[in-house]
Amino acid sequence: MAFWFEQALNGVSFGMLLFLLSAGLSLVTGLMGIVNMAHGSYFLWGGYIGLTVVALTQNFALAIAAAAIGTAASGAVMQRFFLHRFYKQDLAQVLMTFGFLLIFADHALVRYGGNFHLIAPPSFLERSVQFGDIIYPSYRLFLVVIGLLVAVGMWVFQEKTRMGAIIRAGVDDEEMLRGLGINVPLVFTLVFALGAGLAGAAGVLGGPFVGVGPGIDLQVLLLGFVVLIVGGLGSLKGAFVGSLVVGLLDNFGKALFPELALFTIFAPMAIILAIKPTGLFGKA
Amino acid sequence: MNRVALWALPLLGLLVVAALPQVLPRFYVGLLTQFLIFGLLAMSLDLLVGYTGLPSLGHAAYFGMAAYTVAITSKRLTDNVWIDAGAGLLASVVTAAIFGVLALRTSGAYFLMATMALGQVLWGIAYRWRSLTGGDDGLPGINRPELGIPFSLWDTNNYFYVTLLLVLVATIVLMVIVHSPFGYALRGIRESESRMRVLGYNTWRYKYSAFVLAGFFAGLAGVLFVYFNSFVNPADLSVVLSAEALLMVILGGPGTLLGPLLGAGAIVFLRNVVSGYTERWQFILGAAYVLVVLFAPRGVVGELRGWMDRRSRAAVGD
Amino acid sequence: MKQRHGHGLLRLTMGITAALITAWSVGCTSAPTASPTAAPAKPTEAAKPAAAPATSAPAAKPAEPAPAAKTAAGAPIKIGVMHSTSGPFVFEGVGGNEGVKLYWDAENNQVAGRPVQFIFEDTEGKPDVALTKVRKLAEQDQVHAVIGPIGSNESLAIRDYIHGNRLPLVLGYSIARELTQEKGSPYLFRAAGSLQMNSAGGWYAAKKLNYKRAIMVSTDYAAGRDAAALFKQYYEEAGGKVSSEIYIPLGATDVAPYITQLRSEIANADVVAMPLLIGATASQFVKAYTEFGLKSQVPMFTLGVSVDEASTLPPAGDAGLGIVNFNDWSLTLDLPENKKFVEAFRAKYQKDPGQHHLYGYLEGRLIGEALKAVNGNAEDKDKFAEALGKVQFESPRGPFKLDEKHQAIVTIFIRRVDRVGNQLLNVVIDQIPNVDQFWKAPQ
């Protein structure tokens, strides 16, 4: 029983990290149809920015803010000056964002070297908590709280604000936005920056247990895509549920069928797509 | 004039490529062989990406499936090349036939991800089933076939010419396919599947045929590759190779067949020649991708064709 | 429109076929274009394990004329270095290159009056690419020896090629057992401790540390499973019992599921043994093991690579304190050669060397010592290879020596992570001398 409870906690906390990573990816893909291969690079760079800030100031919150702002800014630049010109040319976007992925990765390697790092969490989260026989790192519980807060915040943003309404309308019918005289390019840039910033923040928040180092960009990119597809494009609810499903599937899959650890993510994904070709919550 | 150039250029290119082994050192002949093999892989993918509008991120699956099958049958069953290669091609066709049924339920980005997931499942099997596949160590020591002809395929130049001949035949067949009514129907589906359906086409059947055909040609590339390298490992069917194949297609120009061939050449060249001069070659590769999109968003050959069309149209207008 | 395409195609087909036949016939008549400077025995093109040594054997006579050597007296000796600088082993690759340069820069990149030139090639950690790169180094650059790739699968992929072409290959990082056993070659040398470290580790855990029941945690790839198998064999022969085994895939993003799994089985064990847990996963695992409260219940016993000062230990931080581990070297090793090595490294790179730097250094030095022994005559491949096998010197980790199958014989140091000043360091607490790849455990 304790085993199942603990595995569920693992899955949920990892799922929350996936949610932070993929919420923005989902919005960007759903709204603008961009398959952004460089999304994992924001995670990577967020992690490195966070690492640097923590080393300088020991301030974890500041590190998250710096990483979010830094990656949001670079995302905005990328969208405004590069991707924007190739709106709806998805193949060109794939090639270009893959190019950025390589550039970012190589630049990070030159700047930070090949070492792997774990970011020190704030000191009050370094201790573990005990319930029953289980000793559990408090940081992972903290991450669940953060994930839920962001989810609620984004839900409010999407459902209750004008900007959110514009985004929702845009996912359904982007032509209509233009008809309404809305500054669509600006909306796109802001949403893209938001997505990049969230991924950058995720890089810091994942830092204490996932860590940052060469190759993490591709790893989380693949996971983000899986979440996106399982949950369905362009849906916040989809990204949330998809993250939890992937987090839990991955955990229980590895625990129950260790021999199949390499399949625990991709096999369910293939099955879900075969049954429901637009993901759990995606629109056709 | 332009029409002539359109045919003369590839022909000239072919002549140059065919003559190169006479002057190039052995290593570069090996690179040329790789260029042809990956070019075939990219062209087969172009049938899906460029002509049918199906961006697959799992195309290495059929390449690797054929390579593994050849490796396993030649090591365990027989060194008869016809049986081994035939089994390899059959394996890739069967794999494509199964994956096609699943993947074609989806479209767009979902198709991209579905093909990736299916490919990764195969990768997992290759990685995991160590007794059969050698796991991540792969299967080394696959002998090139003895064809009972006076020259040995172990010679770099001879193997190059065999590859050139087969890739050439495959290219011609692919050209015939894309210029046939079937090929035009695929383009129609790419532009608007619903319209084609209204016109009475069974679009699923067309897409499925294209999917399996693409799998077959990827399998042929896989067979050539495994004999070339005498070695196969899980990377040969991983998402990394799939992504690379897709990048070759986009780089060269989707829907141009010869573009992806050139894209393959560019990537093979960068990886093997430029990387000898700088550790920063991944950066150069990335920058090249970005620049190509900025200045040739339809791929290099795609832009070239567009430019030539515009010129000829302008000439007619005058 | 379609009509015209049809005609064009037909013409194209015919033209191309004609061109091809022409090229083919030319190609067949002048096929052997091997350059005259190549070795006397024409290298076989690729892996032909059975045939290749047979055809090249006659050339291995001691009286082999070495005309190239005379003409090449002042010409550079070329060494190819295949450490990957991108992909999964970028850390080891970049560090390995630093190690190679440490030795050779100190030698002014020359030996016996000949300059030594290095050609660095990135294999990306991919066996296919490694195969292409070794061909490039051999055929294009005509290198005299190759310092090998990091991944075992890469080294296995190029093994037949270097064997067939009699190209000396020096390895440091690739640990697959068979490379110096059934896949061994007169031209293949491994400068670092291979899986034999796990033989000694398994024995030590049962005999000296008195751990009776172990859970093994290793990485889920060929070498990780082989390392675990060897550890288990020696551990159980010495009276221990492995109660369960957990394998973590390469590049697992989160190790939590495995920690929880471990908790459910830990009541059965008095040690958690890690025969080959590498890279990011090792740091994550050591840290999570503490955070999930398991470290206070059962100690860990691991291969040194999981708590290496230059890579895996700093991310884990204090979670690594007190972990006993086994390795073929230690930064703190109290040997004059080691002190010299560490000082020279610090002076050149302003940081402490790690195990991956040492391996690069040993690879470079093994080649250097052999070249000295043959007085710079790298053209005589068989003499050069023979010299490589006989190299002996005082190395930072003690006497350097290869066995008859070209695997280094090493001392295994038992170490413990201690806090020294404000640093976490592996302090040597015991050692097992003369551990070779067929090591027999003392009874």
Side-chain angles (χ1 to χ4, degrees), chain B residues 276, chain C residues 76-84 96-97 100 104 116-123 130 133-149 158 162 167-171 360 363-364 367 371 378 384:
Chain C
I77 297 171
K78 291 186 182 174
I79 310 288
V81 184
M82 297 176 64
H83 293 152
S84 49
N97 285 346
V100 172
W104 278 102
V116 179
Q117 184 190 339
F118 288 89
I119 297 155
F120 293 90
E121 286 289 349
D122 181 10
T123 65
K133 292 293 166 83
V134 77
R135 286 185 186 132
K136 186 241 173 198
L137 289 168
E139 296 162 18
Q140 188 60 26
D141 303 320
Q142 309 211 332
V143 296
H144 297 88
V146 170
I147 290 178
I158 67 170
I162 64 101
L167 178 66
L169 173 71
V170 171
L171 299 175
E363 290 171 332
I367 287 185
L371 283 173
F384 183 30

Side-chain angles (χ1 to χ4, degrees), chain B residues 14 34 128 154 168 236 271, chain C residues 16 45 124 128 132 225:
Chain B
L14 176 71
Q34 281 198 35
R128 213 67 201 68
W154 287 100
L168 187 67
D236 295 336
R271 149 168 299 147
Chain C
I16 289 174
E45 130 79 344
E124 304 169 49
D128 293 347
T132 304
R225 288 195 174 249

Side-chain angles (χ1 to χ4, degrees), chain C residues 309-310 331 342 345-346 349-354 357 423 425:
Chain C
E309 289 95 335
L331 178 66
V342 173
F345 191 91
R346 280 181 185 148
Y349 299 111
Q350 288 81 48
K351 61 184 176 189
D352 281 344
H357 298 116
Q423 244 187 321
L425 289 174

Side-chain angles (χ1 to χ4, degrees), chain A residues 106 229 233 259 263 274 278, chain B residues 105 110 113 121 128 280 293:
Chain A
D106 197 69
I229 293 307
L233 295 176
E259 291 298 305
F263 307 94
T278 52
Chain B
R105 290 178 49 80
Y110 292 102
M113 295 300 137
V121 170
R128 213 67 201 68
R280 301 274 73 81
V293 175

